[in-house]
Amino acid sequence: MSTTELDRPDPDLTRRTTPPGRGRGQVSAGAVLRYALLVLSVVIVLVPIYVLVVTSIKDAATISTATAWDLPSKLSAAGWVSAFERLAPSMGRSLILAVVAAALSSMLGAMNGFVFSKWRFPGADIIFTMFLFGMFIPYQAVMIPLQAMLLNLPPGFDGIGKLIIVHTVYGIPICSLIFRNYYATAVPTEIIEAAKVDGAGMIRTFISVILPVSLPGFVVALIWQFTSAWNDFLFALFLTQPTNGPVTYALQELAGGQNPNYAQIFAGVLIASLPTLVVYLVLGRWFIRGLMSGSVK
Amino acid sequence: MRQLKRWGPGLLLVSPSIILVGVFVYGLIGRNIWTSLGRRTDYVTDRVLNPGGYLNYVQLLSDPRYHHALWNLLVLTVVFVAGTMFFGLLWALLLEKGVTAEGVFRSILLLPMAVSFIAAGVVWRWLLSPAQGADQAIGLNQLFLKLGMPGLQSAWWSDPGPFAMAAMAVPAIWQLSGYVMALFLAGFRGISDDQREAARVDGATEWRIYRHILFPQLSPVALSALIIVGHMSMKMFDLIYSIAGSNSYTAEVPATLMWIQLFPQSDPIAAATNATVLLTIVALVVIPYLVHTHRSERGDR
Amino acid sequence: MQHLPGFQYAEWGPRLHRLPTAATEDAGYISKQQIVPVGDVIEDLGGTGVFPQNLLDLLTVKDAIYSVPSNIHRANVVWANTQVLDDAGITAVPADLDAWMADMETIKSKGVSTPLSIGGAWTQVQLLETVLLSTLGADGYTALFTADGDWESAEVTTAAEKYDQLLDYANTASDGDDWPPATDMVIDGKAAYNVMGDWAVAQFASKDVAEDAYSYFPVPGTDGVFDFLADSFTLPKGAKNPAGCKDWLMTVGSAEGQLAFNLAKGSIPARTDVAPDEFPAYQKSAMDSFANDTIVASIAHGAAVSEAWLSDITTAVSKFYGSRDTETLVSDLAAAASKHAG
């Protein structure tokens, strides 16, 4: 059986649509305004980041409310070092959690998305809608019985194990949505029909036809789930302890201590955010590209 | 039988998810509702703490403290949704035609989304400090003074007035406008250039192109952005917990009240009642939306 | 302080625990039978010979003692910036709240617009409790936490009004604020006074403040009263290593253990037989007070009231900070008391 190359124009993310009448050399008032607004937006958005970075590299004794907005008078790496020491164990746990949960829920999402878009069964739409509702529920509505239900797992599941289960399961709806939308627009039904004619069963079709072209869907799903698991606090608060929980919990403990060291705390915020920051910086373009290929409508 | 053989495998493949979602979402919701109907008396004084049945809901819904929390939630949601939609659309409009260093702008505007609410709350707590005036101001108020704009100072969310909670939306807008921008950007880029070119050839102004060609096609994107951002507001807990602490009357919303009911007050029944009402509020908005998309997709097919 | 869902408790060894006293039932650990009495450890350590009777009484719930106190903090301390006081010509410690507020007026007229510094919600509760203590006296204050406690009495209303007046002299804080910025205001001379527990000493030390640059005294009207909060260690039921837990409890309750622990933490030992020589100046005076003053329990730190009650009090105080309605404050406090007392 042959796999037809999907013939889709790859949307160019940085194209220009310049209305006619504007030469390349001319700078229009509109362009100036546009750049001004963009720069202003960026500056405003970076204000909290500025505070975080600048405070985290200050020498602890020089930190006071009077000089909070000033650049450091005395530099020190102590904040970063001590924050890293405090947070390293939980960062490792968060990494395991985010990677495993993202991988598992993406996989389940891909399978579900495939079935809901291309291999439907009677009642599939209703079931899918019921899945989607699960995406929107406030998790407070299940937290109390969830806590009780997860109480009696074997000890190996404590902390991150419970969170992996929880994030995988509650990630199923959004991942299924992402893949269903993606497959609906990116995979022509004719391909499926052709594979069926060739004698391929569902699993074969999925593995040979669908998976190879699923990358954009996976990108969106993995990024979304990784971030969601990494940044979660609610589940961590209810289901884990600071000693076996993810970095969000450890950070909250760090920030809430009795004698706060702001250099350390703000460095901690930056450290805890680094993996997801990197993911968005490096993969951001793919994220938008994935969104554009119809992953989320 | 051939029918079954056709779609059977599909059902089978999805069945683990069906079971998991069925248990973890619907099963647990049911269990939570069951808990919320419980009755409890103080074992020492025999005072009735939770009357049981629908009276638990009456008790919660008639509590002035809950009204205050609901009002805060309303103010927060309206401002948060309006703010993210405004900035998300604005930035998408600024970027969608292509600018130099677009990648840089886009990355920076998307950056706050990578930070967790808890982490952001740590610095926003300081930024939104209510003290004003040269003697006391810190955070944003201090910055405004330094920049020579003392009139911009505010007590933010600590203001005793009824709309104080709007200030709590500021960090949330900061974090999620980038996401709405990404949605709209993807939406714009998904509309082929030909439509615009054709309209331009016909002599349409840029504004009319937006209004009559592009925006209508973006309405599904806008709607889903609206719903996603709106429901995030209902669930919001981390941010408020991080900024206002675990017991703040001024910044109380049902989600934070639930934490207090569950832990310091050791009242799981009231907490379950609270959670169920919250779920109902979300459902009232989300279910019509889901039905609408379900129907429109049926129509497309 | 995070609160563990009850059922996860037993997996842990001894854990740091705010002192449960006779009037409280911290998070229901005792009623849920998640911790076991440690009266035998107390006896082995020396019983009433080494722990003040007052303290042991407050530790006793239904005739059993459930924790070993490791260190004591004092909550009714005013920390002051001597330079600001000198500039305003204030030389004597004020005798009561009214005299104190008169001093604050003087300081304000000299250009310090916020003579008193305050932090987030729990620091406000702490300030209120010292005002209650000052207005009602030690016995009146302690009576508030009994079944007959009258929170709607004239004295409580007076205390609420004085608290309201004190807030007029304070900076604008927000609920989530922590305490160090408020203490920093005193260190920087932006405020003259800060009511804070004695862990504030660490803040002065970390900012390298000279010992004569700041002074401390009990909140006016509470001289001779020690408003305590204690950290103590409990023994969970079904602990995986009971012998090890008990060893720890014995260590932390011993004289050597308390000496080392408290030198590091900046608090004072719960035992009365630890020599004060090695402690810094503040701790020496605190140990002296602890041995001789009347001891009352702190509301803000969970020593006088249960968590649920404290949560309601904090809500009332947080609400008052915005509304400044003393009548509602008093009725909210009374409602909280009738819900939780007895």
Side-chain angles (χ1 to χ4, degrees), chain A residues 13 35 45 65 112 130 170 276, chain B residues 24 26 100 114 142 174 189:
Chain A
L13 280 179
Y35 279 101
V45 164
T65 51
N112 296 342
M130 295 189 75
Y170 291 113
T276 41
Chain B
F24 278 83
Y26 295 97
T100 24
Q142 191 184 26
W174 176 80
R189 298 272 162 86

Side-chain angles (χ1 to χ4, degrees), chain B residues 194-253:
Chain B
D194 306 338
Q195 295 184 36
R196 290 195 223 215
E197 285 307 318
R200 281 193 202 116
V201 162
D202 281 349
T205 62
E206 289 303 302
W207 165 243
R208 296 195 75 193
I209 293 179
Y210 276 114
R211 183 149 169 251
H212 294 286
I213 299 180
L214 299 176
F215 285 165
Q217 291 189 61
L218 287 179
S219 52
V221 175
L223 186 59
S224 72
L226 202 67
I227 298 286
I228 290 178
V229 167
H231 100 277
M232 275 180 164
S233 172
M234 305 280 168
K235 286 155 108 157
M236 197 176 295
F237 170 79
D238 313 6
L239 187 66
I240 302 172
Y241 184 88
S242 186
I243 292 180
S246 58
N247 190 343
S248 166
Y249 179 77
T250 326
E252 195 153 75
V253 290

Side-chain angles (χ1 to χ4, degrees), chain C:
Chain C
M1 188 147 162
Q2 291 303 331
H3 292 281
L4 307 179
F7 30 73
Q8 291 175 322
Y9 193 72
E11 302 159 27
W12 292 58
R15 70 175 279 266
L16 199 61
H17 198 91
R18 286 295 179 217
L19 190 68
T21 69
T24 93
E25 232 259 275
D26 198 317
Y29 288 130
I30 296 176
S31 79
K32 289 185 202 154
Q33 292 177 307
Q34 286 161 338
I35 55 179
V36 294
V38 292
D40 49 343
V41 177
I42 299 276
E43 281 310 308
D44 287 343
L45 290 168
T48 51
V50 297
F51 295 108
Q53 182 65 53
N54 212 177
L55 181 65
L56 290 180
D57 287 343
L58 288 165
L59 272 173
T60 307
V61 181
K62 289 219 179 87
D63 298 326
I65 299 181
Y66 282 87
S67 54
V68 177
S70 54
N71 57 295
I72 305 282
H73 278 293
R74 186 178 194 175
N76 62 327
V77 186
V78 178
W79 304 89
N81 181 313
T82 40
Q83 184 68 52
V84 174
L85 295 185
D86 286 345
D87 288 347
I90 295 171
T91 47
V93 172
D96 59 22
L97 291 173
D98 291 330
W100 194 23
M101 287 196 263
D103 282 353
M104 290 192 202
E105 256 320 313
T106 317
I107 294 172
K108 206 166 170 178
S109 68
K110 298 287 179 184
V112 177
S113 59
T114 57
L116 181 66
S117 70
I118 193 85
W122 69 262
T123 68
Q124 296 162 25
V125 174
Q126 185 169 340
L127 179 61
L128 176 63
E129 89 186 26
T130 59
V131 172
L132 280 171
L133 188 56
S134 176
T135 316
L136 276 73
D139 292 334
Y141 174 86
T142 311
L144 284 175
F145 312 113
T146 61
D148 319 308
D150 182 9
W151 287 79
E152 294 190 286
S153 65
E155 286 95 350
V156 174
T157 310
T158 312
E161 283 159 9
K162 294 215 193 277
Y163 175 66
D164 188 22
Q165 288 165 14
L166 277 172
L167 285 183
D168 283 337
Y169 292 104
N171 55 309
T172 316
S174 85
D175 284 332
D177 281 351
D178 215 336
W179 65 272
T183 309
D184 278 347
M185 283 183 77
V186 170
I187 294 178
D188 294 336
K190 291 197 162 161
Y193 306 105
N194 175 231
V195 174
M196 189 39 58
D198 48 23
W199 47 86
V201 186
Q203 187 74 358
F204 287 97
S206 75
K207 297 279 161 102
D208 290 326
V209 181
E211 278 210 14
D212 58 359
Y214 68 97
S215 64
Y216 42 85
F217 51 90
V219 170
T222 66
D223 204 5
V225 185
F226 192 104
D227 183 14
F228 95 99
L229 57 126
D231 291 324
S232 63
F233 285 83
T234 55
L235 183 60
K237 193 167 173 195
K240 288 193 183 139
N241 183 359
C245 291
K246 278 213 167 156
D247 271 345
W248 167 246
L249 290 176
M250 288 295 293
T251 307
V252 87
S254 69
E256 305 78 38
Q258 299 220 340
L259 177 63
F261 193 95
N262 284 284
L263 278 176
K265 199 170 188 285
S267 45
I268 64 172
R271 290 174 71 113
T272 49
D273 62 345
V274 180
D277 313 327
E278 292 184 50
F279 285 94
Y282 170 76
Q283 276 82 347
K284 283 198 178 103
S285 74
M287 285 168 77
D288 190 50
S289 300
F290 186 60
N292 298 311
D293 289 353
T294 316
I295 301 181
V296 299
S298 167
I299 300 176
H301 301 279
V305 296
S306 67
E307 255 195 86
W309 194 350
L310 175 58
S311 166
D312 285 345
I313 292 178
T314 310
T315 307
V317 169
S318 157
K319 195 164 147 193
F320 174 75
Y321 193 75
S323 71
R324 301 296 285 275
D325 180 349
T326 45
E327 271 182 39
T328 314
L329 175 63
V330 172
S331 59
D332 282 347
L333 290 174
S338 65
K339 194 169 150 195
H340 298 285

Side-chain angles (χ1 to χ4, degrees), chain B residues 127-139:
Chain B
L127 285 171
L128 294 179
S129 292
Q132 300 175 46
D135 299 323
Q136 308 184 40
I138 58 176

Side-chain angles (χ1 to χ4, degrees), chain A residues 11-20 33-35 37-39 41-42 44-49 51-52 65-70 108 111-112 114-116 119-122 125-147 149-150 165-166 169-170 172-173 180-181 196 202-203 206 224 227 231-234 237-238 248 251-252 255 265-266 269 273 276-277 280-281 284-285 287-288 291-292 296-297, chain B residues 6-7 9-11 13-14 17-18 20-21 23-26 28-29 31-32 35 90-91 93-100 102 105-120 122-127 138-140 142-143 146 174 179 182-183 185-186 188-191 193 196-197 200 206 220-221 224 227-228 231-232 235 237-238 241-242 255 258-259 262-263 268 271-272 275 278-279 282-283 286-287 289-290 294 297-298 301:
Chain A
D12 181 359
L13 280 179
T14 55
R15 67 161 183 230
R16 290 170 179 275
T17 22
T18 333
L33 181 63
R34 179 188 305 254
Y35 279 101
L37 282 176
L38 279 172
V39 170
S41 298
V42 160
I44 292 178
V45 164
L46 285 179
V47 162
I49 310 273
V51 173
L52 284 170
T65 51
T67 57
W69 287 100
D70 303 342
L108 285 169
M111 298 188 320
N112 296 342
F114 164 58
V115 171
F116 284 124
W119 208 284
R120 294 166 45 253
F121 52 90
D125 287 340
I126 310 265
I127 302 267
F128 184 63
T129 308
M130 295 189 75
F131 269 33
L132 287 189
F133 182 67
M135 191 172 112
F136 290 108
I137 59 164
Y139 294 119
Q140 288 84 353
V142 297
M143 201 55 83
I144 298 171
L146 180 67
Q147 227 178 15
M149 185 169 95
L150 293 179
I165 295 175
V166 158
V169 171
Y170 291 113
I172 290 177
R180 192 210 66 161
N181 287 354
K196 278 188 198 169
M202 185 191 73
I203 303 285
F206 182 62
W224 185 264
T227 312
N231 285 341
D232 162 69
F233 177 68
L234 189 68
L237 180 64
F238 277 82
T248 44
L251 184 64
Q252 171 68 7
I265 293 174
F266 283 5
V269 168
S273 308
T276 41
L277 280 176
Y280 271 96
L281 276 175
R285 135 192 300 257
F287 182 68
I288 298 194
L291 284 182
M292 282 168 61
V296 180
K297 261 197 295 209
Chain B
R6 243 190 353 162
W7 48 257
L11 180 57
L13 192 61
V14 188
S17 297
I18 295 182
L20 286 173
V21 170
V23 168
F24 278 83
V25 173
Y26 295 97
L28 292 184
I29 288 178
R31 187 93 185 81
N32 191 64
T35 306
L90 174 68
W91 294 341
L93 281 172
L94 290 174
L95 288 174
E96 65 99 8
K97 283 196 181 149
V99 296
T100 24
E102 179 190 318
F105 283 121
R106 217 181 43 225
S107 298
I108 295 180
L109 294 174
L110 211 47
L111 218 52
M113 206 181 146
V115 182
S116 68
F117 273 131
I118 277 289
V122 172
V123 68
W124 277 101
R125 188 210 301 183
W126 181 79
L127 285 171
I138 58 176
L140 282 178
Q142 191 184 26
L143 181 66
K146 280 187 187 243
W174 176 80
Y179 172 66
L183 283 181
L185 210 51
F188 275 121
R189 298 272 162 86
I191 302 174
D193 272 348
R196 290 195 223 215
E197 285 307 318
R200 281 193 202 116
E206 289 303 302
V221 175
S224 72
I227 298 286
I228 290 178
H231 100 277
M232 275 180 164
K235 286 155 108 157
F237 170 79
D238 313 6
Y241 184 88
S242 186
M258 181 188 167
W259 192 91
L262 208 47
F263 293 124
L278 194 60
L279 175 67
V282 171
V286 164
I287 291 184
Y289 169 72
L290 288 177
H294 176 100
E297 275 165 20
R298 269 266 193 86
R301 222 172 276 120

